[in-house]
Each structure stands twice: as C-alpha cells, then as structure tokens.
Amino acid sequence: MRLTAVEVEAFRGFAQLERIDLDADAVVISGVNGVGKTSLFDAITWATSGEVPRLGAYRERKNEEVLVNRYRAGAEARVIVEARASNGQKLSISRTGTSLRGALVVEWGEQRFDGDAAQQCLAEAFEFDDHAQFVRALTDWGILRQDSMRAVLDAKPESFQDTLREMLGLQVLGRFEESVRSVASESSREAAGARANLSRVNVSVERATARLAAITARLADAPGASESRAALLSALGEDARVSATLPDPLGTPELRSWLHALREVRAEVEDIVSVTSALDARVRGVSGVISPDTDASRNAVDKATLTVETSSLAVAKAEALLRTAQAEADDRARLADAALRLLSDVCPVCGQSINEDHLRDHLQLQLADSEAGERINLIQREIDERREALRSAQGALEIAKREDERLQAVAAEIAAIEATRQRIQDRLEVLREPSRGVTVRCADMRREGAALLTLLDRVQLAAVSLLTALEASDLAAEEAAARQAAQAAGEQLTAATRTLEISSARELEAKSVLTASTAAAVDVTRDWLERLTPYFAEVFRRISPHPTFGRLGLSHDVYFGKGRSLPRVYDDLREIDANPNIIFSEGQLSVVALSFFLAFALFARSQELPFVILDDPMQFMDDRNVLGFTDLCRMLRSKRQLLITSHDQRFSELLVRKLEPRLPDQTTLHLRFESWDREGPRIERSHLVSPVLPFVLAGVA
Amino acid sequence: MTAAEDPLSVIGLLAADSWSEVGSVFDDLAVGFANWVSARSPGPKRWDIYFVALIQQPLASDKDLNSAEDSTYNMNAVRRLVRAGVLPEAEAVRGALAPFLPLAIVPSRPLGDPLDDLIASLRLNGVTAAVAEGAVTAFRTRGEVQL
C-alpha cells in the first residue's frame, strides 16, 4: 500500500482546493516554517483517524473549531487521501466536516462505505484488525514529530516504560494485571467475610454445645412427671376449694403461675393466722369489759376538778387574809422600831439608862402576844386546813383521771380489735375469690388456720414436685431441640470452614496470580523491548552520533513492584553506560529519539503502516548526524514509503540529492512549499528521475 | 586500501590495526580517493563518495579519539567514517559498514499477540497452565479475568 495523493480544501493552512501528488516511494517536502507542510500531515491524520491529537492541547474551549481554514469560516473542511495497494486496487479515504463532526467515506476498489463500515474497511485495507489499532499505529509511529518523541524520552523514568508499552500495544498487560488485582481484592474480601462468618459460627457452636450440656445435666436430675401429678391431685383432693383453682390444661407455665399464686395465698393465710392470733390475745386482754362507761368516768373527773378548783380558791382567800394580818403586824413593828430610835439612852422620867435591845425584845414579845398575832395564827391554821382539803381534792381528781384514761384505752382497744377483725374479714373476702379458693370465716381462722396452712404447704410441695417433673419433661424436648441446634451449628461450622477453605484458596491463588501477573507483565515487556533492542541499536549505530557511547539499548528493573525501563547508551570499550537524557546533547538525543521511533515503526508489530512520515526530523542535528541520517533514509525507503520534511534549505537539498532514484523501481517526489498566502500554500512539484549512473569503478583493476 | 561501489555509493576502505598507523594520513588518503573518483566523472555520485577506516584496535586514547572525531567532522570532498574496534570477522565488518547495507534485520522471534506471551510468562512465574490459560481466555473473551 502506498499513499498516492491528497486533496485538501478549507483545512488548516489550505483554503482553496489543492491536490498533492504523493505517488513515490520517497517524498521530500521542503519549505520554510509556516508554509503548510505540517498541515498536509494533519490532513492525512484527520482523514484517516478523524482527529488531530496534537491540536487538542491548544483548544481554548471544547467546541473551538481548530481544523477549518480561518478564511473559509462556515465551510466544511474536506480531505481526500488516495492510496494504492500492491495489487493495484485503489483506496480513497474522504472526510468532510469540522473538528466537532466529520463524515467518512471510504471507497475500496468498486465498493463504497461510510460510517463504521468505512472505518472498518479502512483498517482492513491497511491490514489492521480494527480502526482503533490503525489510529494508534498512525499516531504512535506512523508520523514522527520531533517534539512528541522527545516528550517520550523526557518522561519521568517510571512512565517511560508505560509509554513504550503503549506504543507496543502492551497496555493490554496492564489491563490484565488490573483485572487480576480486582479479582484478588474481591477474593480477599470474600475470604475476610468467610473468616468473620466462621468466627460467628464458632461462637454459635460453642453456645449450642454449652446449652445442650446444661440441659442434659438438668435432665439427669429430674423426677418423673406422672407420679408428681398424682401426688398433687392427691394433695388437692383434701380440699376441693383449692383444687378448683388448678388450671386446665396444666402445662409448665400454667403450673408455674399457679404455684406462684399459691405461694402468695399461703403467705397471706399465714399472715392472717398470725394477725388473728395476735387479735385473740388482745381480745383476751379486754375480756369482761362489755361496754366501758366512759361518760361516767368523764363526769367524775369533771366533779373532782371542780372540787380542786374550789379548794384552791379557799386556800387563796385565807392566804390573802394572812397577808393582810401580817401587814398590820409589820406596821406596828415598824412603829415600835421608830419609837425606839426616838428614845434617848437615859429615861427622861427615871433617869435610868435604857437598854435598847432589851426593850426591842420586849416590844416584839408584846406584839406577838397581841390580838393581831392571835388572828394571824388563826388564819394560818385555816390555811393549813384548806390546803389539806385541796390536796385531798387533787388526789381524788388524779384517781378520776386515771380511771377515765383506762376506760378510754379499753374503748380504743375494743375499736381497734373490731377494725382488725374487719380487715381480716376483708382479706378473707379477697382469698375467697375463685382464683384463690380459700373460704374461711374470720371467726373460724383460729381453728382452721393451722390446718389450712398445712394443706397449702402440702399442696405447694406437690406442685413444686410436679413443676420440676414438668420442667424435666420440657427439658427433654428442649434437649432434643438443643441437640438439633448443636447439630445444625456443627453443620454450619463445617460449611463455613469449607467456604473459608475455598475462599482462602481462591485468595491465595488470586494473590499468587497477581504477583505472577505483575512479574509476567514485566517479563513480557522486557522480552519485547529486548527483542526490539537490536533495532534501536541498529538505527543508532548507523548514525552514530557520539564518539564513545556507540551503542543504544534499554535497561530494565523492577522499582516499587513495577517494571521500569530506561534508555541507556554504552561505551563498550570502557564498559560504561549512561542515561542519554543526562549526557547527550539535543542533537544526539534527537538521534536517540529517532532510533526508538524507527525501530517501532519498522519492527514493532506484525501490523505495520506502509508509510513513515518524518516531520522535520533533523532540526537539532549537526552536519555529520544529518549525513548519517540521510544515508539511513536511503535504506529506509526500501522498507516503507517515506515522507520527510525539512524547513532547512541546505538539508532539503541534501535530502533531494541523497534520495534521487538510483534503482529502476525507485521514484522520488520533491514537493517544494514555496510560500503561503490566504488561499493556501504555493507548491512546486518535481519528479526526480532515475539517472542511468555508470559504475565509476567499472574497469578499475 | 580497497574501493567498492554500489548504485548508491562509492566507498574507499582502509584497514589498519590501530588509528595511530593511519590517523596522520587518513585525511590525505580520503581526499586523494575523492579526487580519484571525481576524475572518473561520477555524476551525481560525487555526493556519495565515502572513505572508511576499519581499525581493529579500539580508540583507547583521547588523542586518537579526538583525531578520529575531527576526521569524521571534516566533510571536505568526501564523507569520512572511522570505525574502530572492528575485528577481522564478517559480522564485525558488516556492522561497521552498516550504513551502506540495506535494513535487513529479521526479528529472531516475531512480536505476536502479547497475551500469548503472557500465558507463557505466567507459567514461568509459577501459575499452572490451566489457570494461566483460563485467566487469559476469560480476559480475551469477556474483558475481565476469572479465576
């Protein structure tokens, strides 16, 4: 397959329709910068792939139009690429549209296709499986732009291999590895879930086993149920009142509830018996007192109180008389005392000396013996009598009060006894309810209470015995259920263990495959790159841009679990190697980039493009490297249709000279992009003829 | 010295054991060869005259290295190539004269489907054949691995 022509209109630098012949095995395109050389390659790229990837980065907006010629605004770009297969069959690839939408039409021989069918036809015409593969080959190694290959070289070490992988179509290895990683993660989650489940099931098994053991132990100690039932009925038979309360049917919960009620009744009866006994004692305490006359005792108290009050009044009255008599006596004494102080030491009458103390005693004696003194004494005796009467009245009052209090207390006790008796009656009324079944009168309680308690005790004992027996029979069912549960838990344990074994095995296998996948991806990539290394080296050696580092290759290692490849150049004489990015000049690095690109373009895949487009590959090279490169191009044209541009006049002339046809089947086309104006490039075309060159050395001995 | 010619080039070949034997006369010999060819009316081939030194010893000293580099950057009349460390063996000589030979490298093993290579590599990394093939087949057909 060879590209034979391109028609371009309203596309990039081409405003007007331009048909450009490409029907040669070497096409040299020369011209200064900005005259439309790159637009021509963009046209080929767009027509065949539907995009121009390099322009994507320059868009200011997503919907910015970047393909339609600026002087043909509103028009649609149109590019037709024509090619011819080795059997002569013609291929026409026509795309019309804008950068936002385009319509592809492919004519392959007599057939015409559009849409997806056109893409598939295009891929198959170039012997690719699908259009995506064809586009990847075209953009990765069909068209070399110096900057894109240098970008690969300039990439960080860890991404260099990724780029090479992508160019080799080995990204499928990465996708495989990711898919295995996903499976490994999923299997790890499953295994973790299975481990957690096994742990839960283990706990269930332990619980079920422990429960079964406990029930089995209780079951071993349980008495027979039928004997216990008969014993209960027998005990109940003695008292129909209580037996009537027995629930029917009589299951364990009913019996347990009934027994609880029975215990309450028993406690109540016991309390009532106790209270009744205490009441009897109290009744005995007030026996004989039919109806205490508390009114009479109250009257007696009132009467005694009145007597005390009267006596007190009489005493007070006598005491007042006494105080009056004593006051009179005191007045006389003071008068006598004043008279004594008026006396001289000598009697004026007799002239004898007067003894005052003797006279004072005498006067007091006279006063005491006087009528006033007698009266005082009389009053004093009366007071004493009345006081005696008062004490007597007070004693009588005290006795009356005590009697009254006693009778009041007896009356209160009788009332309390009556109240207690009423409360007992009320409690017995409660016990008489159908659910309790105890009908005893309060009056009979003293006689029947003890027997009733004995009966209740006996019934209670039989009920407990029956309850134990019933629980024992429930235990048997419970034990069967527990045994079943333990067995089910055991089966769950077996299943969970098996699930965990399977999950763990899967997890282990997935991890193992993941580790192997990572290693295998590294190995395959390394193997592929090592198989390509001779081609890198071959291209590099032909140009030989460095005096000592004469061999190009790749080094491989695994860095943080990821395969890594780095370009290396080797000085075999001194056995030194280095990363060319670090030690090479720009021109020398251009040769390195070109070596990788051409190796990929020529040898990388079984599905290869029939052409190689080199867009200004010599721009950083010095003269010697340019000469080496042009020598390489002379060999390259026999492998691929070669389309090569240069903006440098000198290099263009060199290319034209070097790529002149020298063999009968070679054709060379020189497209000279002379200038550019608003209509598009001005292109001079010249077919270089194959001169008949005699051998210079012919005839030389 | 030997002269050779094909449709693309006229080549003068000078073989020596070391660069020091021929370094001092290499440029003169190259110009002499160019003049000799030019005198025979080479036509367009006047641009395709090469003079190649095949030196058996490597260029060990910086002096020889600089001298040889200077010669190859001298493009007066003829394209000079100095190939040092070339043993007198066919393969070594073919490598030294590679610029004049077609690109005819045949891959030792063609690069085919990487997933086929992946299966082999998985097995080498300890994965059983059944698992490796099953995983890759599932990936091929369904786009995802199944284990």
Side-chain angles (χ1 to χ4, degrees), chain A residues 170 179 183 509 520 523 527-528 531 535 538 542 547-548 574 604 622 624 631 634 639 657-658 662 696-697, chain B residues 5 8 47-48 50 60 69 72-73 75 98 101-103 105 107 109-112 114 117 121 125 131 145:
Chain A
L170 291 180
S179 185
V183 171
E509 183 181 52
D523 291 348
D527 180 47
W528 278 46
R531 277 192 265 167
Y535 311 120
E538 173 65 13
R542 282 170 179 267
T548 57
R574 296 288 171 86
D622 62 20
R624 189 183 71 169
D631 288 339
R634 298 172 94 179
K639 295 286 181 186
R657 281 202 303 273
K658 288 288 185 181
R662 294 290 174 82
V696 176
L697 301 183
Chain B
E5 183 178 12
L8 299 176
W47 304 107
D48 301 323
Y50 297 82
E69 278 289 289
T72 58
Y73 271 100
M75 290 156 202
L101 300 174
L103 284 164
I105 300 168
R109 191 155 48 98
L111 300 173
D117 289 357
S121 189
N125 281 283
V131 171
V145 172

Side-chain angles (χ1 to χ4, degrees), chain B residues 9-143:
Chain B
S9 320
V10 182
I11 308 160
L13 290 168
L14 175 65
D17 183 56
S18 66
W19 178 247
S20 58
E21 288 177 21
V22 295
S24 58
V25 296
F26 181 73
D27 283 339
D28 292 340
L29 289 172
V31 172
F33 177 71
N35 290 338
W36 181 77
V37 173
S38 296
R40 294 176 179 278
S41 304
K45 276 193 176 176
R46 68 183 180 278
W47 304 107
D48 301 323
I49 303 170
Y50 297 82
F51 193 71
V52 183
L54 298 176
I55 309 300
Q56 191 167 337
Q57 299 294 326
L59 298 172
S61 72
D62 288 343
K63 180 185 170 191
D64 286 352
L65 191 66
N66 290 331
S67 168
E69 278 289 289
D70 288 346
S71 290
T72 58
Y73 271 100
N74 181 357
M75 290 156 202
N76 181 26
V78 62
R79 169 97 158 99
R80 297 162 177 79
L81 297 176
V82 176
R83 299 295 194 230
V86 181
L87 296 175
E89 296 167 355
E91 187 57 33
V93 172
R94 189 176 291 116
L97 299 178
F100 309 107
L101 300 174
L103 284 164
I105 300 168
V106 177
S108 56
R109 191 155 48 98
L111 300 173
D113 185 344
L115 291 177
D116 289 340
D117 289 357
L118 183 65
I119 292 174
S121 189
L122 283 171
R123 294 192 59 188
L124 286 173
N125 281 283
V127 180
T128 63
V131 171
E133 285 170 12
V136 171
T137 301
F139 182 72
R140 269 201 181 105
T141 53
R142 307 171 64 164

